[in-house]
Amino acid sequence: MVAPSLIPKKAGDRVKTDRRDAVQLARLARSGDLTAVYLPKLEDEAMRDLARAREDAISDLQDAKFRLKAFLLRHASRYGGRATWGPAPLRWLSEVVCPTPAQPIVFQAYVRAVHEQTARLQRLDQELHEQVKAWRLHPVVEALQALRGVPFTVAVTMVAEIGDLTRFENPRELMKFLGLIPSEYTSAERRRHGSITNAGHTHARRALVEGAWAYRYPAKVSRHLPLRLEQQPKMIQAISWKAQVRLCKRYRRLVSRGKHANMVTVAIARELVGVMWAIAKQVPLTA
């Protein structure tokens, strides 16, 4: 299977027939100019759909909260406590009084939308935890959680979007697949590197960068990490601690050189995906 969008095509070629297409594909296959694509298994694609549905639920919940907060701000109703959505702010919402008969209708619609999206997200979270247990790549998801900044949601998003990480021959191919390598503009003796290519799956890249922010703090054994490490073999535990020490040190070193925090985080994410590849190599999988 090849990628249709990557098939070379001559400029100005407006004649398309099955015979011409077959001859062109045969010539390109002989010259090695066709780009093969990875076909996920049916259960892998189903898990990816479930993970993306959870991301959609998060986005819809954020939109619902934004509309409610904007409504309250327009009418000068401000919560005096911390800006969170815990039990105390929800109790405060039940005490909000609107001056006109029409405004409570809008207010209650926004509040109900927040509750509905919250319940939807909780249902999808529960289903995702349950479905992953029967997935063939569940051992990889569990092993990746040994890394700092890679909780369950980040691990399952990475594996669901990429599939088997070990199908790449080396970590750099995986970095290239995720669009984390810098673009390059080279001509003659002039060589210039630009921003990252942003190729590949945006879902996996976003989850990876979010996890990389955890390395801005010094290396330490947190309260939650040992719980994820205790079921993993010594080799994976060693990789996890070695990666944490290296990436935390690299983050501080790049920041001290004046690099922007966002640029540093992307650099950490690029190395983090290489560590994920090394951990996946240690996990035996069944067909």
Coordinates of all heavy atoms in Angstrom, one line a residue, residues 12 37 45 47 50 57 59 63 73 88-89 107 111 129 142 146 158 164 205 235 238 244 259 261 278 280:
G12 N 1.1 19.5 -15.5 CA 0.3 19.6 -16.8 C -0.3 18.3 -17.3 O -0.9 18.3 -18.4
V37 N 3.0 3.0 3.1 CA 2.4 3.5 4.3 C 2.0 2.3 5.2 O 1.9 1.2 4.7 CB 1.1 4.3 3.9 CG1 1.4 5.5 3.2 CG2 0.1 3.4 3.1
E45 N -6.9 0.5 15.0 CA -7.6 1.7 14.5 C -8.8 2.0 15.4 O -9.2 3.2 15.6 CB -8.1 1.5 13.1 CG -8.6 2.7 12.4 CD -8.8 2.5 10.9 OE1 -8.6 1.3 10.5 OE2 -9.1 3.4 10.2
M47 N -9.0 1.5 18.7 CA -8.4 2.2 19.9 C -8.0 3.6 19.6 O -8.2 4.5 20.4 CB -7.2 1.4 20.4 CG -6.8 1.7 21.8 SD -8.1 1.4 23.0 CE -8.4 -0.3 22.8
L50 N -11.2 5.7 19.7 CA -11.6 5.9 21.1 C -10.8 7.0 21.7 O -11.3 7.9 22.4 CB -11.6 4.6 21.9 CG -12.1 4.7 23.3 CD1 -13.5 5.2 23.3 CD2 -12.0 3.3 24.0
A57 N -13.9 15.1 23.3 CA -14.7 15.5 24.5 C -14.0 16.5 25.4 O -14.7 17.4 25.9 CB -15.0 14.2 25.3
S59 N -12.0 18.9 24.3 CA -12.2 20.1 23.5 C -13.6 20.7 23.7 O -13.8 21.9 23.9 CB -11.9 19.9 22.0 OG -12.1 21.1 21.3
D63 N -14.7 24.2 25.6 CA -15.6 25.2 24.9 C -16.8 25.6 25.8 O -17.2 26.7 25.9 CB -16.0 24.7 23.6 CG -14.9 24.6 22.6 OD1 -13.9 25.3 22.8 OD2 -15.0 23.9 21.6
L73 N -18.8 36.6 33.1 CA -17.9 37.8 33.0 C -18.7 39.0 32.5 O -18.6 40.2 32.9 CB -16.7 37.6 32.2 CG -15.7 38.7 32.1 CD1 -15.1 39.0 33.5 CD2 -14.5 38.3 31.2
A88 N -16.4 23.5 45.2 CA -16.7 24.8 45.7 C -17.2 25.7 44.5 O -18.3 26.4 44.7 CB -15.5 25.4 46.4
P89 N -16.5 25.8 43.4 CA -17.1 26.7 42.3 C -18.4 26.2 41.8 O -19.3 27.0 41.4 CB -16.0 26.6 41.2 CG -14.8 26.2 41.9 CD -15.2 25.3 43.0
F107 N -28.2 30.9 31.3 CA -27.2 30.4 32.3 C -27.3 29.0 32.6 O -26.4 28.2 32.6 CB -27.4 31.3 33.6 CG -26.6 30.8 34.7 CD1 -25.2 31.0 34.7 CD2 -27.2 30.2 35.8 CE1 -24.4 30.5 35.8 CE2 -26.4 29.8 36.9 CZ -25.0 29.9 36.9
V111 N -24.6 25.9 32.1 CA -24.2 25.0 33.2 C -24.5 23.6 32.9 O -23.7 22.7 33.1 CB -25.0 25.4 34.5 CG1 -24.7 24.4 35.6 CG2 -24.5 26.8 34.9
H129 N -10.0 3.0 29.6 CA -9.2 2.2 30.5 C -9.6 0.7 30.4 O -8.8 -0.2 30.5 CB -9.5 2.6 32.0 CG -8.6 3.8 32.4 ND1 -8.9 5.1 32.1 CD2 -7.5 3.9 33.1 CE1 -8.0 5.9 32.5 NE2 -7.1 5.2 33.2
E142 N 1.6 0.1 29.2 CA 2.0 0.1 30.6 C 3.4 0.4 30.8 O 3.8 1.1 31.7 CB 1.7 -1.3 31.1 CG 0.2 -1.7 31.3 CD -0.5 -0.9 32.4 OE1 0.2 -0.6 33.4 OE2 -1.6 -0.5 32.2
A146 N 6.2 4.2 32.6 CA 7.3 4.3 33.5 C 8.1 5.6 33.4 O 8.9 5.9 34.3 CB 8.2 3.1 33.3
M158 N -0.1 8.0 22.3 CA 1.1 7.7 21.5 C 1.0 6.3 20.8 O 1.2 6.2 19.6 CB 2.3 7.7 22.4 CG 2.7 9.1 22.9 SD 3.3 10.2 21.5 CE 4.7 9.3 20.9
D164 N 2.7 0.0 16.6 CA 3.9 -0.6 17.1 C 5.1 0.3 16.9 O 5.6 0.5 15.7 CB 4.2 -2.0 16.4 CG 5.3 -2.7 17.0 OD1 5.9 -2.3 18.1 OD2 5.7 -3.8 16.5
R205 N 1.9 14.1 18.5 CA 2.9 15.2 18.8 C 2.4 16.1 19.9 O 3.2 16.5 20.8 CB 3.1 15.9 17.5 CG 4.2 17.0 17.7 CD 4.7 17.6 16.3 NE 3.6 18.2 15.6 CZ 3.0 17.7 14.5 NH1 3.4 16.6 14.0 NH2 2.0 18.3 13.9
M235 N 15.2 -3.4 33.7 CA 15.7 -2.8 32.6 C 14.9 -1.5 32.3 O 15.5 -0.4 32.0 CB 15.7 -3.7 31.4 CG 16.2 -3.0 30.1 SD 17.9 -2.5 30.2 CE 18.8 -4.1 30.3
A238 N 15.5 1.2 34.8 CA 16.8 1.9 34.6 C 16.7 2.9 33.5 O 17.3 4.0 33.6 CB 17.9 0.8 34.4
Q244 N 15.2 10.4 32.8 CA 14.8 11.5 33.6 C 15.9 12.4 33.9 O 15.9 13.7 33.8 CB 14.0 11.1 34.8 CG 13.5 12.2 35.7 CD 12.7 11.8 36.9 OE1 12.4 12.6 37.7 NE2 12.4 10.5 37.0
K259 N 17.5 29.8 25.3 CA 16.5 29.2 24.4 C 15.1 29.5 25.0 O 14.9 29.4 26.2 CB 16.7 27.7 24.2 CG 18.1 27.4 23.5 CD 18.2 27.9 22.1 CE 19.5 27.4 21.5 NZ 19.6 27.9 20.0
A261 N 11.4 28.7 26.1 CA 10.9 27.5 26.8 C 10.1 26.5 25.8 O 10.2 25.3 26.0 CB 10.0 27.9 28.0
A278 N 13.1 3.0 22.7 CA 14.0 2.0 23.4 C 13.2 1.2 24.4 O 13.5 0.0 24.6 CB 15.1 2.8 24.2
A280 N 9.9 0.4 24.1 CA 9.1 -0.5 23.4 C 9.9 -1.7 22.9 O 9.4 -2.8 22.7 CB 8.5 0.2 22.2

